[in-house]
């Protein structure tokens, strides 16, 4: 199957490509007892700049089975945050946790005996990096990660996700998607047992340039001492899944979000969805009250001038009535609708998104302080388009 067709197939299983604006966590603290989810890493360990680059020569011959699945999606309606792209702060431990969690949550590969390394960064131009050597049941492998902060509107940066045309491309196979570039090949042209190295570069709307790459041997081996013939298990589709998870781990402020750098193996806690919902709300909304369980969350927001209140809830669901009226480029089905509330004049605005990998999120808003209360204003304080932007956010990839 041609690389473009294969990549088109494997990029259908993940979240939409937009991450909505995150509100300040100071405007409504996280649930009591969950300080470890909200704390920021105070120290930043300076790290080396590891470039994740796939080098291929002319006449490269590509082969190998592709068993991945995953894709990216369409743009949401909320405007892109206009944050300070010069700010970047992440620790070495945070980078290691993000890579380890990403491999566990979205790779679909058993990661055995992992050896993880990482380097943080406090400068936008200096990449924060991480790498993992592991066994996947078929031998040893390596995945590397590099993240730095950029202005997504910069034309020079956009060239990094654009494949060179025709014969001028250094890669035998290269595919450009709206926000990323994927390449793959041997590092030794046509040599049997040569090291195969595949890579994806993603440019986030929040200002992150994310490089993920893999090869079919660990860093301690080479094609001369340990010839291999199998393709890397982390094909371009799985690498893109990982890049989307990494982007969801960071906020537009240049730091990891409330669940971005959790220690691997942490158990889900009641209210895990709540901080994600709060981060995705428009900053103009003021939180009056909040609550959540392991599978859902809600907030009551109010208008400081009129005092009108709106109840907003988010939940993971399955088996509910399916009403889809749009399919995004990544295969995600989206449905929006307006339903009557229980009290006179109350309306429910609802947006649902079901990704090909099965993740189904639903977000609703009522023009009342609860679904059973009397109306508070003629319409909710958020629109259907805002709810759609929230529900297709890749941030939900972090919900455990």
């Amino acid at each position: 199957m041609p690389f473009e067709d294969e990549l088109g197939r494997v990029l259908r299983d993940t979240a939409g490509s937009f991450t909505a604006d995150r509100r300040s966590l100071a405007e409504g603290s996280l649930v009591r007892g969950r300080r470890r989810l909200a704390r920021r890493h105070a120290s930043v360990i300076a790290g080396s700049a590891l470039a994740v680059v796939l080098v291929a020569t002319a006449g490269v011959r590509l082969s190998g089975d592709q068993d991945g699945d995953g894709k990216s999606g369409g743009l949401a309606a909320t405007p892109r945050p206009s944050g300070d792209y010069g700010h970047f702060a992440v620790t070495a431990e945070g980078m290691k946790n993000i890579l380890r969690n990403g491999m566990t949550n979205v790779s679909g590969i058993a990661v055995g005996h992992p050896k993880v390394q990482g380097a943080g960064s406090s400068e936008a131009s200096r990449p924060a990096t991480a790498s993992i050597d592991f066994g996947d049941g078929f031998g040893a492998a390596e995945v590397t990660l590099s993240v730095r902060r950029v202005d997504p509107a910069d034309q020079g940066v956009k060239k990094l996700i654009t494949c060179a045309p025709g014969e001028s491309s250094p890669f035998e196979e290269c595919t450009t998607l709206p926000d990323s570039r994927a390449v793959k090949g041997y590092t030794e042209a046509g040599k049997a047992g040569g090291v195969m190295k595949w890579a994806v570069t993603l440019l986030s709307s929040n200002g992150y340039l994310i490089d993920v790459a893999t090869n079919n041997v660990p860093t301690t081996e080479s094609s001369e001492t340990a010839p291999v013939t199998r393709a890397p298990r982390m094909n371009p589709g799985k690498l893109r899944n990982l890049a989307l998870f990494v982007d969801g781990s960071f906020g537009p402020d240049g730091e990891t979000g409330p669940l971005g750098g959790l220690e691997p193996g942490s158990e889900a806690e009641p209210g895990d969805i709540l901080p994600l919902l709060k981060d995705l709300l428009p900053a103009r909304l003021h939180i009056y009250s909040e609550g959540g369980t392991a599978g859902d969350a809600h907030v009551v927001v109010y208008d400081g001038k009129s005092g009108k209140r709106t109840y907003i809830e988010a939940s993971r669901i399955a088996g509910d009535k399916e009403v889809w009226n749009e399919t995004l480029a990544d295969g995600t089905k989206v449905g929006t609708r307006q339903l009557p509330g229980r009290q006179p004049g109350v309306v429910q605005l609802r947006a649902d998104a079901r990704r090909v990998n099965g993740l189904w999120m639903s977000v609703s808003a009522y023009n009342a302080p609860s679904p059973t209360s009397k109306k508070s204003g003629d319409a909710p304080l958020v629109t259907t388009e805002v709810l759609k932007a929230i529900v297709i956010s890749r941030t939900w990839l972090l919900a455990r």
Side-chain angles (χ1 to χ4, degrees):
M1 177 180 294
F3 178 52
E4 291 80 4
D5 293 343
E6 183 274 330
L7 192 62
R9 177 181 64 80
V10 296
L11 295 180
R12 284 200 272 278
D13 293 352
T14 193
S17 63
F18 182 84
T19 301
D21 291 354
R22 299 186 180 211
R23 65 183 292 111
S24 170
L25 290 178
E27 192 181 327
S29 62
L30 299 178
V31 177
R32 287 184 182 275
R34 303 180 67 246
R35 292 191 183 125
R36 70 180 181 81
L37 297 181
R39 70 173 183 262
R40 299 292 189 188
H41 298 295
S43 62
V44 177
I45 302 176
S48 61
L50 173 62
V52 183
V53 179
L54 173 62
V55 180
T57 59
V60 167
R61 184 170 64 88
L62 301 178
S63 67
D65 294 335
Q66 268 101 81
D67 60 352
D69 48 271
K71 305 249 169 29
S72 148
L75 296 177
T78 303
R80 187 191 76 200
S82 57
D84 176 14
Y85 300 121
H87 178 68
F88 187 39
V90 59
T91 65
E93 198 65 27
M95 287 297 295
K96 291 192 291 184
N97 289 349
I98 289 171
L99 178 56
R100 185 74 170 88
N101 287 330
M103 290 294 297
T104 300
N105 291 352
V106 302
S107 72
I109 295 174
V111 179
H113 309 292
K115 298 179 180 179
V116 187
Q117 296 181 327
S121 178
S122 59
E123 298 178 12
S125 60
R126 187 180 69 205
T129 64
S131 65
I132 180 172
D133 280 10
F134 62 96
D136 61 4
F138 295 85
E142 179 196 30
V143 172
T144 58
L145 165 66
S146 172
V147 185
R148 65 184 175 95
R149 203 85 199 279
V150 297
D151 182 348
D154 185 271
Q155 294 302 314
V157 171
K158 289 185 176 180
K159 291 181 180 179
L160 299 177
I161 61 169
T162 303
C163 295
E167 295 182 356
S168 60
S169 174
F171 310 111
E172 179 69 15
E173 296 194 30
C174 180
T175 297
T176 299
L177 293 172
D179 63 352
S180 61
R181 180 189 71 168
V183 294
K184 65 177 184 177
Y186 289 109
T187 57
E188 299 180 28
K191 181 179 179 181
V195 177
M196 288 176 278
K197 192 172 185 180
W198 298 349
V200 168
T201 299
L202 182 143
L203 177 59
S204 163
S205 60
N206 278 334
Y208 297 98
L209 188 68
I210 301 169
D211 287 295
V212 286
T214 187
N215 55 48
N216 52 353
V217 297
T219 54
T220 56
E221 298 180 7
S222 70
S223 61
E224 295 180 358
T225 59
V228 290
T229 57
R230 70 182 181 91
R233 296 292 306 285
M234 288 290 288
N235 64 35
K238 292 183 182 294
L239 288 174
R240 186 170 172 81
N241 271 345
L242 178 59
L244 291 170
F245 181 91
V246 172
D247 184 41
S249 300
F250 287 91
D253 58 357
E255 300 184 16
T256 56
L259 299 183
L262 280 180
E263 183 177 350
S266 299
E267 294 293 330
E269 296 185 9
D272 264 359
I273 289 183
L274 180 61
L276 302 181
L277 174 62
K278 290 167 61 178
D279 277 357
L280 294 171
L281 293 175
R284 61 181 173 80
L285 298 178
H286 302 281
I287 294 179
Y288 179 83
S289 63
E290 62 187 51
T293 68
D296 58 59
H298 72 268
V299 294
V300 178
V301 297
Y302 69 94
D303 184 328
K305 294 182 179 180
S306 67
K308 295 176 181 178
R309 289 182 285 175
T310 289
Y311 183 92
I312 301 175
E313 60 184 359
S315 63
R316 283 185 295 232
I317 64 174
D320 197 2
K321 182 179 180 181
E322 299 186 27
V323 181
W324 312 115
N325 46 38
E326 182 181 1
T327 300
L328 303 181
D330 66 345
T332 298
K333 292 183 178 181
V334 180
T336 57
R337 44 186 156 153
Q338 179 174 320
L339 304 168
R342 299 183 187 180
Q343 296 289 343
V346 175
V347 297
Q348 174 191 5
L349 301 181
R350 175 169 169 172
D352 290 71
R354 189 181 71 183
R355 293 163 173 88
V356 179
N357 63 7
L359 176 61
W360 185 345
M361 294 300 303
S362 180
V363 181
S364 291
Y366 301 79
N367 56 327
S370 79
T372 58
S373 300
K374 294 182 179 180
K375 76 171 186 177
S376 179
D378 294 330
L381 297 174
V382 293
T383 65
T384 300
E385 286 301 308
V386 171
L387 294 181
K388 175 186 170 184
I390 291 174
V391 80
I392 68 174
S393 171
R394 66 183 55 156
T395 303
W396 296 114
L397 288 168
L398 303 179
R400 296 171 296 160

